[in-house]
């Protein structure tokens, strides 16, 4: 029996058709993948199912009955649950309050009973949650757990997950998949939005591929190869090759020596005794679930936070831990933060002005005056060489899609010829085409002899790019080993905090 | 200073603070839902003039109070239609509402200026009101002062304990997410704005029917603006709004008392006292940035357009 059938759903926005006659059917107990790049129309389709957006045309049949979903409440009453990619959580409320708000009133009356239910469900599925914590103090991974638990507390017949695995450790992914398979065996259908084909292949029993708002393929992922699905997703012209040769670094450029830092932010993570070296001509990756000290580490390297002892961070032998970001940039640092809008770029400023922000020391300012012509030339060069799709270099940064803006920011840093590039989540939320391009340019940068440090939650990406890899957990760093010698299980253990105490010794012995 | 004087100062402090509490509580609820209504002053004046006219014409103070509330409601409904339904700029709309209310109240009230009525009389609780020092302040007030305490407790519990309070906070923090989990954002915002209007109207009625039972143009004397500032400096905390309002009341009274006692300080400097004292105290209280963030309605002043 079909749980849900969509027939010729069409939704147009001014200037673009997000869904063009999309048809899709999900059986009871089926884990159905919805594949497509950013902008393919997946999110719009999900919003239509969930009643957030009304379609222009087309019908939806829910368990044999035609329905018009009037809104999210209606959708939930029908038994449709959704875990959003951009979480719909309220940061200033606690986990308990957030969950209570989305449940029918009868649930939320008795707070203690609800708290117990949350603890039960989260324990059952291995998604530990403290109901009394404020959501803004949770990591991205933890916030996702809130969303999932929120759905599981209700009687869901169709659970929609929008790119759920991108923030989880491999072990957590395993747990999630077990949960999903249990749910499916209980008759719940799951609509699994992703662009990670390996995952789709490992748990999904059906797949529909969208490109440019149109269905370009429907597969059984257990039979179809990853390459076939990839071609349906990105078209035949995009090269998919993602195997890069490993490199060995030369001289040490960045070195962290017993880097410790106590945070005064009640929700921050204190770092204790981090030791790590990044050599010219290699890429080092640090894996870890968000909220384990990555932010603190990155801002200590970028110079946004200063350490107590200048020698805790050294660039090419110069102690810089007490120098600001400008000074560190002049020693060859390039930095790509996690948040594109707000930290990587100023949303309301043009691309040209944003280029000037970090590249001002590279000949764009003469005698204290901005050389507007040079700024434009530089911005144009970034846009051209990194294939940034934008109307003009005078467009506001916020008008670009996530992937295009990320290409611009990475391009801006790379074209300044850094000696050290520190990159946080280089391809977070970026579609495959742009991600491949970003990865190519990181590898090219490495081959030119730049030291590259990547902090990411995307394990696959770290394995594809990094020459050496480690993990951070609760403010402590695992040993950094050659990627090919680190098994996925080992990395997962590090990410969960199982590190042997002799790490630092091992690391310094290498140096 | 003898005990009687102190008792009188306390009594007057609570009376002076009452209109501020009413206005600020109303504005706090509206702002918690993400709507910044700068029209308080206009709504208060409309409440004051409507209450006064109806009480004079009908001879009923009760009807007067209800007329004041109704006037505030109507004014805020106008604001709601413009700023919520038609998604106009909240700041500009609110300012326009203040100018409109100031002018309209002066116009309709012109022939009532200088008339007096018998104001609302205090409800004196026997025995308790004879307690030295605080008896008069706590148990010999008029009914609207008691009502302001009930409303304070109501709003406090609403945000502390009820689901409705959570919904209002959620809408004020992130209307898109609130919509996604199925809340009626527009409806919640309307309700919050209307509550704010009713409270401002009531405050106006308190001024023209109880505090100083008469009508003069612009008799709210900037209380709407002070209440707005109170809400911000109180970090959107209900109990701090109350504290700030009474602090302001106390400082206002003190400046009169000090003048009366013949202090050799310029009266203009003394007149600044209430503003400076209130803002200083609340600023010191609001010093914890991490905690303040938890209370600030993040979408304050941002219009919400439902997705289609």
């Amino acid at each position: 029996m079909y749980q849900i059938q969509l027939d010729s759903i069409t939704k147009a926005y001014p200037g673009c058709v997000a869904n063009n006659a999309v048809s899709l059917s999900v059986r009871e107990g089926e884990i159905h993948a919805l594949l497509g790049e950013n902008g393919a129309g997946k999110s719009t389709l999900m919003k239509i199912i969930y009643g957030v957006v009304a379609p222009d045309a087309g019908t939806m049949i829910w368990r044999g009955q035609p329905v018009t979903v009037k809104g999210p409440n209606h959708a939930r009453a029908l038994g449709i649950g959704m875990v959003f990619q951009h979480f719909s959580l309220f940061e200033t409320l606690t986990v308990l309050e957030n969950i209570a708000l989305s449940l029918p009133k009868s649930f939320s009356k008795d707070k203690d009973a609800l708290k117990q239910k949350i603890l039960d469900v989260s324990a059952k599925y291995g998604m530990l949650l403290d109901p009394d914590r404020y959501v803004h103090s949770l990591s991205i991974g933890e916030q996702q757990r809130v969303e999932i638990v929120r759905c599981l507390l209700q009687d869901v017949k169709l659970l929609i997950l929008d790119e759920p695995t991108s923030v989880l450790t491999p072990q957590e992914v395993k747990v999630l998949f077990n949960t999903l398979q249990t749910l499916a065996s209980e008759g719940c259908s799951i609509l699994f939005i992703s662009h990670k084909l390996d995952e789709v292949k490992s748990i999904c029993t059906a797949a529909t591929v969208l490109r440019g708002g149109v269905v370009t393929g429907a597969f059984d992922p257990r039979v179809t190869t990853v390459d076939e699905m990839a071609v349906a997703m990105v078209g035949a012209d995009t090269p998919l090759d993602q195997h890069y040769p490993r490199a060995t670094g030369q001289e040490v450029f960045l070195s962290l020596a017993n880097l410790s830092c106590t945070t005064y932010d009640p929700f921050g993570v204190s770092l204790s005794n981090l030791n790590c070296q990044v050599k010219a001509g290699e890429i080092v990756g640090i894996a870890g679930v968000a909220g384990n000290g990555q932010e603190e580490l990155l801002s200590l390297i970028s110079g946004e936070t200063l350490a107590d002892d200048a020698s805790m961070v050294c660039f090419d032998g110069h102690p810089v831990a007490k120098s600001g970001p400008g000074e560190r940039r002049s020693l060859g640092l390039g930095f790509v933060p996690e948040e594109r809008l707000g930290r990587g770029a100023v949303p309301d400023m043009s691309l040209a002005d944003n280029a000037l922000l970090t590249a001002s020391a590279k000949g764009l300012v003469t005698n204290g005056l901005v050389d507007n012509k040079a700024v434009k030339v530089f911005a144009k060069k970034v846009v051209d060489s990194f294939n940034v799709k934008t109307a003009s270099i005078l467009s506001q940064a916020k008008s670009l899609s996530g992937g295009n803006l990320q290409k611009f920011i990475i391009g801006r840093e790379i074209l300044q010829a850094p000696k050290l590039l520190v990159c946080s989540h280089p391809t977070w939320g970026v579609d495959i085409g742009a991600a491949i391009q970003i990865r190519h340019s990181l590898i090219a940068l490495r081959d030119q002899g730049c030291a590259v440090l990547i902090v990411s939650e995307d394990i696959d990406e770290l394995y594809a790019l990094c020459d050496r890899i480690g993990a951070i957990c609760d403010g402590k760093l695992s040993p950094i080993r050659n990627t090919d010698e680190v098994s996925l299980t080992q990395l997962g253990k590090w990410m969960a905090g199982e590190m042997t105490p002799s790490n630092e010794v091992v690391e310094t012995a290498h140096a | 200073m003898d005990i009687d004087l102190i008792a009188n100062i306390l009594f007057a402090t609570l009376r002076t603070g009452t209109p501020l509490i009413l206005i600020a509580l109303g504005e706090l609820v509206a702002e918690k839902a993400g709507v910044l209504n700068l029209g308080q002053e206009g709504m208060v004046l409309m409440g004051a003039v409507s209450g006064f006219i109806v009480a004079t014409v009908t001879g009923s103070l009760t009807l007067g109070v209800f007329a004041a509330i109704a006037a505030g409601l109507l004014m805020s409904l106008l604001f709601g239609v413009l700023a919520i339904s038609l998604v106009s700029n909240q700041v500009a709309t609110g300012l326009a509402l203040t100018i409109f209310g100031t002018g309209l109240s002066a116009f309709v009230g012109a022939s009532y200026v200088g008339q007096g009525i018998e104001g609302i009389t205090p409800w004196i609780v026997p025995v308790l009101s004879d307690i030295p020092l605080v008896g008069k302040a706590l148990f010999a007030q008029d009914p609207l002062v008691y009502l302001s305490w009930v409303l304070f407790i109501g709003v406090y519990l609403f945000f502390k304990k009820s689901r409705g309070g959570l919904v209002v906070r959620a809408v004020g923090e992130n209307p898109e997410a609130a919509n996604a989990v199925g809340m009626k954002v527009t409806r919640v915002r309307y309700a919050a704005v209307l509550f704010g209007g009713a409270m401002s109207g009531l405050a106006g009625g308190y001024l023209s029917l109880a505090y100083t039972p008469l009508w003069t143009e612009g008799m709210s004397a900037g209380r709407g603006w002070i209440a707005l500032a109170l809400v911000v400096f109180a970090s959107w905390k209900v109990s701090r709004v109350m504290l700030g309002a009474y602090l302001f009341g106390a400082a206002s009274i003190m400046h009169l008392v000090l003048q009366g006692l013949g202090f050799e300080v310029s009266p203009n400097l003394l007149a600044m006292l209430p503003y400076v004292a209130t803002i200083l105290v609340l600023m010191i209280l609001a010093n914890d940035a991490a905690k303040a963030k938890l209370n600030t309605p993040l979408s304050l002043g941002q219009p919400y357009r439902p997705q289609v």
Side-chain angles (χ1 to χ4, degrees):
Chain A
M1 184 191 150
Y2 285 112
Q3 198 84 275
I4 189 169
Q5 291 162 277
L6 301 176
D7 186 28
S8 312
I9 296 282
T10 297
K11 174 74 196 178
Y13 288 108
C16 92
V17 181
N19 288 151
N20 192 354
V22 173
S23 300
L24 166 78
S25 304
V26 183
R27 285 171 205 280
E28 208 168 284
E30 180 177 79
I31 304 183
H32 191 116
L34 184 63
L35 287 161
E37 295 200 82
N38 284 3
K42 293 170 297 177
S43 295
T44 306
L45 191 63
M46 292 311 101
K47 283 182 182 165
I48 289 172
I49 297 179
Y50 200 56
V52 181
V53 170
D56 298 335
T59 50
M60 176 169 153
I61 295 168
W62 174 251
R63 297 168 71 80
Q65 300 289 322
V67 288
T68 309
V69 183
K70 294 180 198 82
N73 276 340
H74 186 199
R76 275 200 302 270
L78 289 171
I80 303 174
M82 174 139 182
V83 176
F84 291 91
Q85 188 182 8
H86 301 287
F87 308 130
S88 56
L89 295 174
F90 307 101
E91 296 193 348
T92 62
L93 304 183
T94 64
V95 171
L96 180 66
E97 288 169 336
N98 264 284
I99 291 178
L101 273 174
S102 64
L103 296 177
K105 276 181 196 149
S106 52
F107 269 93
S108 56
K109 265 209 180 108
D110 185 349
K111 278 198 176 171
D112 292 326
L114 180 60
K115 194 185 278 187
Q116 195 50 49
K117 254 189 205 154
I118 293 171
L119 290 172
D120 290 347
V121 169
S122 62
K124 180 177 168 194
Y125 295 115
M127 291 181 281
L128 294 182
L129 274 182
D130 177 355
D132 292 320
R133 273 184 68 184
Y134 282 98
V135 166
H136 71 84
S137 73
L138 303 180
S139 68
I140 301 176
E142 288 170 321
Q143 292 187 14
Q144 189 195 43
R145 289 183 212 161
V146 180
E147 289 259 1
I148 295 177
V149 168
R150 179 155 87 173
C151 289
L152 295 183
L153 280 169
Q154 289 165 298
D155 181 24
V156 282
K157 298 195 181 71
L158 172 67
L159 182 63
I160 306 170
L161 296 145
D162 198 353
E163 308 210 357
T165 57
S166 45
V167 291
L168 306 178
T169 64
Q171 279 86 348
E172 285 176 307
V173 170
K174 238 180 236 168
V175 173
L176 175 70
F177 283 2
N178 285 340
T179 309
L180 296 183
Q181 267 153 350
T182 315
L183 277 169
S185 68
E186 290 166 1
C188 177
S189 307
I190 288 150
L191 200 47
F192 184 89
I193 304 177
S194 183
H195 53 225
K196 291 190 189 164
L197 298 165
D198 296 337
E199 287 177 5
V200 169
K201 213 165 157 49
S202 72
I203 65 156
C204 296
T205 49
T208 301
V209 183
L210 281 182
R211 174 152 47 98
V214 188
V215 175
T216 51
F219 305 102
D220 182 342
R222 289 166 297 188
V223 186
T224 315
T225 65
V226 166
D227 283 351
E228 279 175 81
M229 290 191 283
V231 169
M233 240 168 104
V234 298
D237 338 322
T238 314
L240 293 166
D241 177 35
Q242 284 208 53
H243 299 284
Y244 305 108
R246 303 271 186 235
T248 3
Q250 293 113 39
E251 305 99 73
V252 173
F253 187 86
L254 167 72
S255 82
L256 308 179
N258 293 318
L259 177 63
S260 298
C261 180
T262 313
T263 175
Y264 295 102
D265 176 355
F267 310 121
V269 178
S270 293
L271 303 182
S272 54
N273 269 328
L274 266 54
N275 287 286
C276 164
Q277 284 163 339
V278 184
K279 298 169 192 154
E282 72 167 352
I283 300 183
V284 169
I286 295 179
V289 177
N292 271 300
Q294 290 96 328
E295 291 224 12
E296 288 78 3
L297 172 62
L298 286 166
S299 64
L300 278 162
I301 298 177
S302 73
E304 286 161 271
T305 312
L306 303 182
D308 299 330
D309 183 346
S311 62
M312 283 178 171
V313 181
C314 290
F315 286 0
D316 203 11
H318 302 283
V320 294
K322 298 187 100 164
S323 320
E327 211 168 317
R328 297 194 199 190
R329 278 186 178 276
S330 66
L331 284 169
L333 170 72
F335 181 57
V336 179
E338 179 180 355
E339 305 147 64
R340 278 157 220 164
L341 288 173
R343 241 171 116 200
V346 182
D348 292 319
M349 277 170 39
S350 70
L351 292 182
D353 289 344
N354 270 300
L356 174 68
L357 281 181
T358 70
S360 57
K362 311 284 170 184
L364 303 186
V365 177
T366 39
N367 305 326
L369 294 175
V370 174
D371 182 350
N372 277 310
K373 211 173 149 195
V375 172
K376 282 181 186 156
V377 168
F378 178 71
K380 190 91 185 77
K381 197 171 151 201
V382 174
V383 167
D384 290 345
S385 31
F386 286 83
N387 226 341
V388 180
K389 281 175 208 151
T390 172
S392 110
I393 53 163
L394 299 176
S395 303
Q396 285 183 324
K398 68 179 178 192
S399 69
L400 266 66
S401 74
N404 273 311
L405 185 58
Q406 185 72 351
K407 283 194 277 185
F408 181 81
I409 293 171
I410 291 187
R412 174 185 73 187
E413 299 303 314
I414 288 181
L415 287 186
Q416 294 176 48
K419 290 181 189 148
L420 166 69
L421 182 71
V422 179
C423 218
S424 177
H425 297 86
T427 61
W428 170 272
V430 169
D431 60 62
I432 290 197
I436 289 174
Q437 205 182 348
I438 288 171
R439 288 178 194 147
H440 279 319
S441 33
L442 288 174
I443 293 288
L445 188 69
R446 171 197 78 183
D447 292 343
Q448 287 160 24
C450 175
V452 180
L453 176 68
I454 298 177
V455 175
S456 176
E457 293 178 66
D458 186 340
I459 314 285
D460 298 340
E461 176 169 271
L462 290 175
Y463 269 100
L465 287 180
C466 300
D467 305 309
R468 293 193 299 142
I469 197 166
I472 189 167
C473 180
D474 197 23
K476 294 185 188 70
L477 197 60
S478 76
I480 310 282
R481 298 253 169 82
N482 288 338
T483 309
D484 297 332
E485 294 161 14
V486 179
S487 69
L488 197 56
T489 325
Q490 177 63 59
L491 187 69
K493 279 186 185 166
W494 285 343
M495 288 167 76
E498 288 177 45
M499 303 168 192
T500 45
S502 57
N503 299 339
E504 290 88 0
V505 183
V506 173
E507 180 55 32
T508 23
H510 265 294
Chain B
M1 279 197 276
D2 55 77
I3 277 210
D4 267 357
L5 177 64
I6 298 177
N8 278 324
I9 290 175
L10 277 178
F11 175 75
T13 295
L14 299 201
R15 273 170 65 80
T16 314
T18 298
L20 291 176
I21 290 176
L22 295 173
I23 308 169
L25 283 179
E27 177 65 12
L28 183 135
V29 172
E31 290 191 14
K32 276 283 188 189
V35 186
L36 179 66
N37 184 352
L38 297 182
Q40 308 303 321
E41 192 76 2
M43 298 195 293
V44 172
L45 284 169
M46 283 307 290
V49 77
S50 311
F52 187 79
I53 293 176
V54 169
T56 310
V57 172
T58 64
S60 162
L61 289 168
T62 316
L63 278 181
V65 170
F66 281 112
I69 295 173
L73 272 176
L74 275 178
M75 290 287 282
S76 60
L77 181 64
L78 177 64
F79 177 85
V81 170
L82 293 170
I84 301 174
S85 296
L86 301 177
V87 208
S88 68
N89 180 301
Q90 293 177 10
V91 171
T93 311
L95 287 174
L97 196 72
T98 283
I99 297 167
F100 171 68
T102 309
L104 186 64
S105 63
F107 175 70
V108 299
S111 56
Y112 292 87
V113 174
Q115 291 188 25
I117 51 166
E118 195 66 31
I120 296 174
T121 46
W123 284 356
I124 297 168
V125 185
V127 187
L128 289 177
S129 58
D130 295 329
I131 300 173
L133 217 59
V134 295
K136 189 177 179 193
L138 294 179
F139 300 107
Q141 297 281 9
D142 60 65
L144 293 185
V145 175
Y146 301 135
L147 179 63
S148 75
W149 297 343
V150 174
L151 286 165
F152 162 75
I153 293 170
V155 172
Y156 180 82
L157 290 179
F158 178 73
F159 283 119
K160 196 88 185 167
K161 298 269 178 200
S162 82
R163 182 187 170 95
L166 277 185
V167 171
V168 169
R169 282 167 61 196
V171 165
E173 186 198 315
N174 188 343
E176 282 78 20
N179 180 55
V181 299
M183 296 173 200
K184 310 267 184 238
V185 174
T186 305
R187 219 179 280 179
V188 170
R189 286 196 159 180
Y190 257 106
V193 165
L194 288 176
F195 177 77
M199 293 292 274
S200 290
L202 179 63
Y206 176 80
L207 289 176
S208 69
L209 298 174
Y211 191 66
T212 49
L214 50 81
W215 162 252
T216 55
E217 265 181 45
M219 72 181 296
S220 56
R223 286 186 177 82
W225 299 115
I226 296 160
L228 266 167
L230 265 183
V231 173
V232 177
F233 284 114
S235 319
W236 293 270
K237 282 197 156 179
V238 183
S239 49
R240 281 192 199 161
V241 162
M242 180 96 155
L243 174 77
Y246 283 148
L247 246 170
F248 187 86
S252 312
I253 297 302
M254 284 318 287
H255 117 246
L256 296 176
V257 172
L258 290 178
Q259 267 182 290
L261 292 176
F263 262 74
E264 300 276 326
V265 182
S266 155
N268 293 328
L269 277 181
L270 283 178
M272 282 168 42
L273 189 67
Y275 304 90
V276 176
T278 311
I279 288 175
L280 267 183
V281 169
L282 291 176
M283 268 173 69
I284 293 164
L285 284 179
N287 205 17
D288 188 338
K291 276 196 176 160
K293 196 194 158 196
L294 285 180
N295 277 300
T296 312
L298 295 178
S299 76
L300 181 62
Q302 287 166 17
Y304 168 71
R305 279 188 189 81
Q307 279 181 302
V308 280

